[in-house]
Amino acid sequence: MNWILENLPLIGTLSLEHLRQSIPPIVLGFVLSVPLGWLAFRYRRVRGFVLTSTGLLYTIPSIALLGLLPGILGISALSELNLTIALTIYAIAIMVRSVTDGLASVDPDIRQAATAMGMGPIRRFFTVDFPLSGPVLLAGLRVTAVSTIALATVGVFIGVTNLGYLFTNGYQRRIIPEILAGVITVMLLALVIDLILMLAGRGLMPWTRKTRTGAAPKGTTRTRTTPTDGVPSAQTSERVGAETPA
């Protein structure tokens, strides 16, 4: 505990650096996954290939991927760009299926209604398909964000300084509080970003909020129409939630 209190400035600096390195892959992964997910949704013949190939990307060990990318792309192995590309690939592996599932969750009748109103494919996508698939997309984005923040710690193995430094340095010096500080801080960062995304989703998609419908509040009067002899109908009122006399 003393080590954590004495090194709060270091933990804060590493946290900001870790967050700065995590946000670009999350954004890039989401942006690149939207067209890939739409392609898989729109064309059934390539759906299996797109979903399987992108899903398999997540099975590549992170250390191996960080070693392969420099040889394939000709970039420096000990660079932040190498980490960003690797994290973006993992983000795409998660988000593509979420985009496909989100688009598939939109009611086909709504699409037909939008088409009948004269909307073209592009306009319909941005005004109908994309907003209505928002809840599923948000769920996938939240998983992607948490996963990316956790995976970013491997950057320390290629010389990129972030919260992963607390793991390696604590292990080498046998300082358990330092390792725990890294673990807890990564978890807190992930929780904060997840909370921000959840609140943003509620603000941008107010129609997803749960509301009670179809039931009258207790203690209010409800009107009921009942047939009577010789009269087409008659209205009677009853007290909702009122006790029945014995």
Side-chain angles (χ1 to χ4, degrees), residues 42-64:
R42 180 66 178 81
Y43 301 101
R44 294 182 178 274
R45 293 183 178 180
V46 300
R47 178 179 302 178
F49 172 77
V50 172
L51 295 181
T52 302
S53 58
T54 54
L56 286 175
L57 293 175
Y58 203 79
T59 65
I60 303 176
S62 56
I63 300 299

Side-chain angles (χ1 to χ4, degrees), residues 2 6 13-14 17-18 37 49 71 79 86 97 104 107 126 131 138 141 145 164 186 208 219 240:
N2 291 334
E6 294 172 358
T13 301
L14 293 176
E17 191 69 16
H18 193 99
F49 172 77
S79 66
R97 181 171 290 275
D107 191 340
F126 285 105
L138 178 61
L141 184 59
V186 170
T208 61
V240 178

